Amino acid sequence: MAALSASSGTDTPPIRAARGAGAFARSVRRNLTAHGFLIPAALCFACFSWYPMVREVIMSFQKAKAGRTSWVGLHNLKQVMNDPSFWPAWRNTAEFTGLALLLGFALPFVVAVVMNELRHARGYLRVLVYLPVMLPPVSALLLFKYLYNPEYGLFNRVLELLQLPTSGWLQSPDVAMLAVVLASTWMNMGSATLIYLAALQSIPGELYEAAELDGAGLLRRVWHVTVPQTRSILSLMLMLQIVATMQVFVEPFVLTNGGQGVDGSTTTVVYLIYQYAFNFSNYGAACALGLLLLLVLAGFSAVYVRLNRRLEP
């Protein structure tokens, strides 16, 4: 009797294996629907995201000629780095990213704070702010190209009415990048504004009430309550915006002479990739430059995530 009870309290390895297999089968049946929904998404990612990335890495070390490919090692990378447009393109990309952070990162947050303080017409203002995002990018950029026209554009007309000096905008190498950033900010700030507004509305009202009782004004409430409470979303949006702006292409391509601008003032890294691939038919060099951009962004993201984890309370 004691032996029977002892044997019933402990399972032999075959019994444990059978129970494990049965639990796994039940888990698969229970999650079969979820797996069925995930498989098409995984296939789409594999075909349109992962495979092109792997293919880009392979082609960056190859050279295609007459339909045949051959391995050339680091030749493509050396070729793009010796291009006179290589470093100016990186400088222009960094300039666009810096200006976009000053305007495109700060402005949506300020607009969201103002909208959050309003008591009326919030829905109307949300639609108004998000409207530029719904416009086709090329249409919006052509509108700005018309507004930037030095002869009959609205911006110069306004400057004339204010008795201020007019500008060549897209025709001036000193102002062209700023003009591109202004158009890009107007086009894309709606999404960020709504994200910030949703984050602001999740902040407990008791914190603002306590700050008001302490005599804090709007700016102090924003600095001591709003910013700390939305730190995580601000950090995430900052990283996403840097990664996105480093890959800018459509705005300078439409606004400034096919992306080059005056004296190459708006030539970016992605536009240089476009030139190698579609103007020079040098896909190996284009892939090598794309791989270099990927490594730079991946390195930045890794450092940023590591620093962000250290700063977390």
Side-chain angles (χ1 to χ4, degrees):
M1 189 71 179
L4 180 60
S5 61
S7 62
S8 62
T10 58
D11 294 333
T12 60
I15 294 177
R16 287 198 298 269
R19 288 184 176 179
F24 176 76
R26 288 193 298 271
S27 176
V28 170
R29 287 194 299 269
R30 185 169 57 251
N31 299 318
L32 188 61
T33 303
H35 294 157
F37 281 109
L38 287 175
I39 288 175
L43 291 176
C44 288
F45 272 103
C47 293
F48 300 108
S49 294
W50 302 329
Y51 172 75
M53 291 176 63
V54 174
R55 187 62 179 161
E56 177 189 10
V57 174
I58 296 174
M59 290 184 64
S60 63
F61 300 101
Q62 293 179 334
K63 185 175 183 180
K65 186 176 182 180
R68 297 181 180 180
T69 58
S70 58
W71 293 92
V72 294
L74 299 177
H75 172 75
N76 293 324
L77 184 60
K78 294 178 180 178
Q79 180 181 358
V80 298
M81 294 186 68
N82 291 329
D83 190 335
S85 301
F86 178 78
W87 293 112
W90 282 100
R91 184 180 65 249
N92 294 335
T93 302
E95 181 183 357
F96 179 88
T97 301
L99 292 173
L101 289 179
L102 291 176
L103 296 177
F105 180 71
L107 186 59
F109 185 73
V110 173
V111 173
V113 170
V114 173
M115 291 176 59
N116 192 53
E117 292 293 325
L118 297 177
R119 295 293 182 265
H120 304 285
R122 281 188 181 180
Y124 170 76
L125 292 176
R126 288 177 187 174
V127 174
L128 188 64
V129 170
Y130 194 73
L131 183 62
V133 181
M134 295 185 287
L135 294 176
V138 176
S139 300
L141 291 172
L142 290 177
L143 171 62
F144 266 86
K145 194 171 185 178
Y146 174 82
L147 298 176
Y148 283 140
N149 190 284
E151 297 180 0
Y152 50 81
L154 178 62
F155 292 157
N156 275 348
R157 293 300 181 107
V158 173
L159 292 176
E160 289 176 356
L161 292 176
L162 297 175
Q163 296 183 354
L164 295 175
T166 58
S167 174
W169 298 106
L170 301 175
Q171 288 72 30
S172 172
D174 299 326
V175 189
M177 188 59 75
L178 177 60
V180 174
V181 171
L182 290 175
S184 178
T185 301
W186 183 82
M187 289 170 50
N188 302 308
M189 67 174 291
S191 299
T193 301
L194 294 186
I195 293 174
Y196 290 142
L197 186 60
L200 293 176
Q201 292 179 351
S202 65
I203 300 176
E206 294 81 1
L207 298 178
Y208 289 110
E209 294 175 0
E212 290 179 359
L213 291 176
D214 290 339
L218 176 60
L219 295 180
R220 292 185 61 186
R221 292 200 305 269
V222 170
W223 182 254
H224 293 288
V225 178
T226 305
V227 173
Q229 291 295 317
T230 56
R231 178 181 172 183
S232 59
I233 191 65
L234 286 172
S235 176
L236 176 62
M237 293 297 290
L238 177 63
M239 185 182 70
L240 293 178
Q241 181 157 356
I242 291 177
V243 172
T245 52
M246 287 287 290
Q247 303 177 65
V248 60
F249 171 75
V250 177
E251 290 87 343
F253 182 79
V254 176
L255 289 174
T256 59
N257 193 25
Q260 295 184 8
V262 179
D263 299 330
S265 58
T266 58
T267 299
T268 61
V269 175
V270 177
Y271 177 73
L272 201 57
I273 296 174
Y274 167 83
Q275 279 191 316
Y276 276 117
F278 298 102
N279 292 347
F280 309 144
S281 298
N282 191 342
Y283 298 104
C287 290
L289 187 54
L291 177 61
L292 185 59
L293 179 61
L294 172 65
L295 293 177
V296 170
L297 294 178
F300 163 77
S301 301
V303 172
Y304 186 84
V305 170
R306 187 177 183 87
L307 292 176
N308 194 43
R309 287 178 178 176
R310 288 185 177 181
L311 295 176
E312 287 181 355

